[in-house]
Amino acid sequence: MPASKTKTTITSDPAGSSKSVPNYEQAFSELEQIVSQMESGQMPLEASLEAYKRGNLLLDLCQKSLAEIEQQVKILNERQQLMPFNTQAE
């Protein structure tokens, strides 16, 4: 199976379980699922709190990803070609 082009790292949540950091599409999909589950009103309080925390993390990841992509789109060279975005430069 070919390797994915997205970065995946492992982080630990306070409960001690490990979750991988998803790419934008995965994060957005999971966020939609969380919102749907929470809107259903069928989640217990503890599960709702954990879902809310995870949703905040996913939202932050999506916002940062979109901001980076937006910055890349703004950086065009004289040939109107997309230039690589350097996160270290201002």
Side-chain angles (χ1 to χ4, degrees), residues 1-89:
M1 177 179 272
S4 173
K5 292 183 181 182
T6 59
K7 294 180 185 177
T8 303
T9 57
I10 304 297
T11 59
S12 295
D13 64 18
S17 65
S18 295
K19 290 194 175 193
S20 63
V21 177
N23 64 27
Y24 175 82
E25 290 80 9
Q26 293 167 335
F28 190 78
S29 177
E30 185 178 345
L31 186 56
E32 285 181 321
Q33 291 174 357
I34 289 171
V35 169
S36 177
Q37 290 172 352
M38 291 182 79
E39 286 178 341
S40 74
Q42 300 299 313
M43 294 179 75
L45 183 59
E46 283 290 318
S48 292
L49 180 59
E50 290 303 314
Y52 180 81
K53 290 177 184 178
R54 179 70 177 164
N56 274 336
L57 290 172
L58 293 169
L59 180 61
D60 187 51
L61 186 145
C62 288
Q63 288 173 335
K64 286 179 181 177
S65 180
L66 287 174
E68 287 179 6
I69 297 299
E70 182 179 9
Q71 186 62 33
Q72 287 180 18
V73 169
K74 289 179 181 179
I75 300 173
L76 298 174
N77 70 9
E78 64 279 352
R79 294 184 185 163
Q80 299 299 312
Q81 294 174 335
L82 190 62
M83 298 290 291
F85 174 64
N86 182 357
T87 58
Q88 305 301 320

